[in-house]
Amino acid sequence: MYFPRRTLAQEMCDALQGSQLFNDAPNGLFLAAPRRTGKSTFLQADLKPELERRGIAVVYVDLWAAPQRDPGELIAEAIGQALRAHLGPVAKAAKASGLESVSIAGALKIDTRHIGQPEGSTLTDALRTLHELARAPVALIVDEAQHSLTSVGGESAMTALKSARDQLNRPGLVSLMLVMSGSDRDKLLRLVNTNAAPFYGSSIKHLPLLGEDFVAHLAA
């Protein structure tokens, strides 16, 4: 049964946008929760809609949706799909011509099939382009982010996302928000707890359990 958690989603969005003092969420929000506790449902049904309501372009990817595929490819593909959705008539014209590669503002050439690959645009370039096309901040939600550490491509993608965050964000201006969730807190810690970790210094928060409001909802 789905139980909306809009207040929690609003609080997290405030933190991601830098509206809460002494909160490092603008550098990345890392959420841990055991399996079967509604983590993915919350991300998709509460957090994502709240971010979109605030005019933020949201990219969501679940790294366990296709566990046999390289996590780095899944992340790049999700960003590519978001880019295609924002390209509008330009993308349609390119597709009608049998092309997958289009030029943005006559300068940056994005091939959505090869984002993050040696012959393609970097994740930073792709996210910057998405930000410019959407004319809004971008939020990337990576569900089961710890799975990225199972491949070289996944680890490289995490390092690239950290670089994109550092390049796109400025003091007082958050253009790229990163949300990383995991059902295995110990594995998720590997993204933040060593000098070699891509998000070294960030902290992991537990997704709050359902409380008395949920009990009241069931009783009603």
Side-chain angles (χ1 to χ4, degrees), residues 16 19-20 23 25 29 31 33 44 47 70 77 81 121 135 138 153 156-157 162 170 179 185 200 210 215:
L16 285 165
S19 300
Q20 296 182 358
N23 195 311
L29 178 60
L31 295 172
Q44 296 181 73
L47 185 62
D70 188 284
E77 185 177 278
Q81 289 175 350
S121 301
R135 298 182 180 181
V138 174
S156 297
K162 190 267 185 185
R170 298 288 183 272
V179 180
R185 185 179 183 276
Y200 177 64
L210 293 168
V215 176

Side-chain angles (χ1 to χ4, degrees), residues 19 24 30 48 78 94 102 128 135-136 139-140 166 172 189 195 212 219:
S19 300
D24 67 346
F30 294 81
K48 182 175 181 287
V102 296
R128 181 182 290 111
R135 298 182 180 181
L140 175 61
D166 293 346
L189 273 171
N195 289 332
E212 293 182 359

Side-chain angles (χ1 to χ4, degrees), residues 94-147:
K95 187 174 182 180
S97 302
L99 301 175
E100 289 290 342
S101 180
V102 296
S103 295
I104 309 300
L108 181 61
K109 196 174 185 181
I110 294 287
D111 185 337
T112 54
R113 298 171 304 172
H114 298 115
I115 292 172
Q117 298 181 20
E119 69 273 23
S121 301
T122 66
L123 290 181
T124 299
D125 287 338
L127 288 166
R128 181 182 290 111
T129 302
L130 179 58
H131 168 54
E132 293 173 355
L133 286 171
R135 298 182 180 181
V138 174
L140 175 61
I141 302 175
V142 182
D143 203 355
E144 301 298 351
Q146 77 281 348
H147 190 58

